[in-house]
Amino acid sequence: MEKVEKFLKDAEVYYLATVEGDQPRVRPFGTAHIFDGKLYIQTGKVKNVSKQLHANPKAEICAFKDGTWLRVAGELVEDDRLEAKESMLDAYPSLKGMYSADDGNTEVFYFKNATATFSSFTSAPEVITF
């Protein structure tokens, strides 16, 4: 899981895919953080992505860097603990201008039943599950 987090942080931007009814939705994200042994992302409850994840927690992220791409598929589960939100905001201090752990909007999700696949055109895929 640490290799997945490092790749996402090094890539700086990844794309999160969710579903809204029968329509896929994809948007750029930038938060990836390990807390309590799980890989987390962060968003705001007022955003459509939050509503989509609550309706259907299946999601996938994809990032590309230096000829390698990473796909992580799984379920995103909300963690409403203040400690989880604080840990994310401490890892990304720039978010503190828009979010605070107790603002009623900050939301963190962790991957459950995740499969991460590193791929490139020059080597066999590497699969990590967590």
Side-chain angles (χ1 to χ4, degrees):
M1 186 185 327
E2 289 79 11
K3 182 176 181 175
V4 172
E5 179 199 38
K6 180 176 180 354
F7 189 93
L8 293 171
K9 287 185 175 191
D10 288 349
E12 295 180 0
V13 174
Y14 62 86
Y15 296 87
L16 171 67
T18 59
V19 202
E20 186 174 56
D22 65 350
Q23 178 63 49
R25 301 290 182 191
V26 180
R27 80 281 290 150
F29 259 66
T31 54
H33 178 60
I34 293 175
F35 173 74
D36 205 16
K38 298 174 182 137
L39 181 65
Y40 281 75
I41 68 166
Q42 183 274 336
T43 191
K45 288 183 181 184
V46 299
K47 295 183 178 182
N48 287 336
V49 65
S50 171
K51 295 169 184 67
Q52 293 156 7
L53 288 171
H54 283 284
N56 182 349
K58 291 182 181 178
E60 189 163 321
I61 61 177
C62 184
F64 183 83
K65 184 176 183 316
D66 298 331
T68 300
W69 59 94
L70 167 66
R71 292 174 50 214
V72 182
E75 297 172 48
L76 284 170
V77 178
E78 181 185 10
D79 184 341
D80 203 31
R81 293 179 298 163
L82 192 63
E83 301 83 17
K85 297 173 191 178
E86 288 172 342
S87 181
M88 177 64 79
L89 294 175
D90 287 345
Y92 290 89
S94 63
L95 292 176
K96 292 181 179 182
M98 298 178 287
Y99 297 99
S100 65
D102 60 355
D103 63 7
N105 181 39
T106 301
E107 191 169 41
V108 293
F109 292 86
Y110 65 86
F111 269 99
K112 176 182 170 187
N113 301 322
T115 300
T117 306
F118 290 91
S119 301
S120 75
F121 291 117
T122 58
S123 61
E126 176 187 357
V127 178
I128 300 169
T129 58
F130 52 92

